[in-house]
Amino acid sequence: MTVFSNPGVHFQGYLTLNGIQQWVSIVGQATTNPVLLIIHGGPASTYSVFTRATQLFSQKLTVVHWDQRGAGKTYRKQPVVPKSLQNLVDDGIELSKKIKQLLPKVPIILLGSSIGSITANLMVQQAESLYTAYIGTEQMTRFSHQYAFNQLMFETSHRFLKQNWLQKYPFNADAWSAKQIETFNIFSALQKTDVDNMVTNLFIPNLLQCPSYGPQDYIAFAKGMIVSYNSLHTELDTFDYNRLLTETNLPFYIFQGEHDPITPTQATKIYFNQIKAPRKKMIIVPGTGHLCMFARPRYFIDKASELRRLVLKK
């Protein structure tokens, strides 16, 4: 593949990862900048549609977006879905190795967002030597659903919502069914009117404005989310969060939306406080909810510049 464009890096196309053609975009303005490998959430909510944020990030980082197995353009190429989280972990590690071959002296910062923070977390555990730092945004933890439920019960002013929906949920979020988790995430996001909604304000406008997306891509995006969810929801909804790392040799950063209704700040702090790392930092992104890095991309890259300097010194 041809990726170098004087003086930077640019590639959009398919790479073979563990036997599957998967869509990857690489955008950077200098070959010496650290790589930011973004592991999207969902499952199958590909972030390659956030092209405006990517252009901003690419001034200081070489940004790698990857439509995972079962997501976006990868699903359009071949309708293959992940059978397990480990499929995604294996593909992500294979992609990381290819990036190392392409840019052997460049550090890789691994970023996992939302459900992608589980995948990225497992990637670090299984192949830590490939990476120089970890960033979690919308970091999923074992406390996320419970704190989100408590937060919505406390904050909502909708009496009908409380009496006819919330109060029918088991108070202990560990007892929720897969359908209850899915429905809760949708409704809780819609209740947060004081921050950008991740679907209506962030995903849909960026999806419709993405220059590399057309009607067939929109269809593949929607279908990929449905089939990937159907394939993975049981594993995700019963995931043992004790599997998440608690100790790493990498700098460990968390970017947290101040008013995230799905992965609340209080829940993320509990997990963050358990982490042992040579350097760790939790950054609250003001005035944002879920997908904080795309709601305030300039704030994100300004704060991430400290980590950029740190990995370049290694």
Side-chain angles (χ1 to χ4, degrees), residues 235-250:
E235 181 180 3
L236 287 168
D237 297 339
T238 59
F239 182 77
D240 179 8
Y241 285 95
N242 291 321
R243 292 175 60 193
L244 294 183
L245 62 83
T246 55
E247 188 169 358
T248 178
N249 294 315
L250 304 181

Side-chain angles (χ1 to χ4, degrees), residues 10-200:
H10 184 82
F11 171 80
Q12 280 192 334
Y14 290 96
L15 299 179
T16 301
L17 304 175
N18 294 315
I20 302 295
Q21 292 282 295
Q22 304 194 34
W23 179 263
V24 176
S25 72
I26 306 173
V27 181
Q29 296 186 15
T31 57
T32 54
N33 279 336
V35 167
L36 181 70
L37 172 54
I38 298 175
I39 310 300
H40 66 68
S45 297
T46 173
Y47 293 172
S48 57
V49 300
F50 290 101
T51 51
R52 290 184 179 177
T54 298
Q55 288 298 321
L56 178 63
F57 299 163
S58 70
Q59 295 174 16
K60 295 184 178 181
L61 300 164
T62 295
V63 182
V64 179
H65 283 295
W66 160 45
D67 287 15
Q68 297 167 15
R69 182 182 300 238
K73 287 180 176 290
T74 295
Y75 184 74
R76 180 183 174 184
K77 185 76 170 178
Q78 67 272 287
V80 177
V81 297
K83 300 300 183 183
S84 67
L85 278 174
Q86 190 60 43
N87 282 162
L88 302 180
V89 172
D90 291 341
D91 290 347
I93 290 173
E94 181 69 13
L95 174 58
S96 303
K97 291 177 179 177
K98 288 185 180 293
I99 295 170
K100 279 293 186 185
Q101 292 171 359
L102 175 68
L103 298 164
K105 297 182 180 180
V106 175
I108 299 177
I109 300 170
L110 183 64
L111 184 149
S113 169
S114 195
I115 288 173
S117 69
I118 298 175
T119 307
N121 203 289
L122 296 175
M123 287 169 63
V124 168
Q125 292 183 52
Q126 296 177 31
E128 186 175 88
S129 63
L130 291 172
Y131 311 109
T132 310
Y134 173 88
I135 297 176
T137 67
E138 298 81 42
Q139 176 70 53
M140 296 292 296
T141 77
R142 62 176 295 219
F143 307 103
S144 296
H145 294 315
Q146 188 66 62
Y147 274 82
F149 176 74
N150 297 348
Q151 179 173 284
L152 188 57
M153 282 287 285
F154 177 75
E155 291 183 352
T156 185
S157 58
H158 296 276
R159 186 176 178 182
F160 178 85
L161 178 69
K162 276 190 177 182
Q163 291 180 344
N164 295 278
W165 179 57
L166 281 178
Q167 290 181 355
K168 293 182 179 180
Y169 270 61
F171 181 78
N172 182 358
D174 291 338
W176 291 1
S177 67
K179 187 63 177 177
Q180 285 173 318
I181 293 173
E182 178 190 17
T183 306
F184 178 83
N185 286 344
I186 294 170
F187 273 85
S188 62
L190 291 175
Q191 295 307 309
K192 268 290 179 184
T193 57
D194 56 338
V195 295
D196 286 329
N197 179 272
M198 65 175 179
V199 177
T200 57

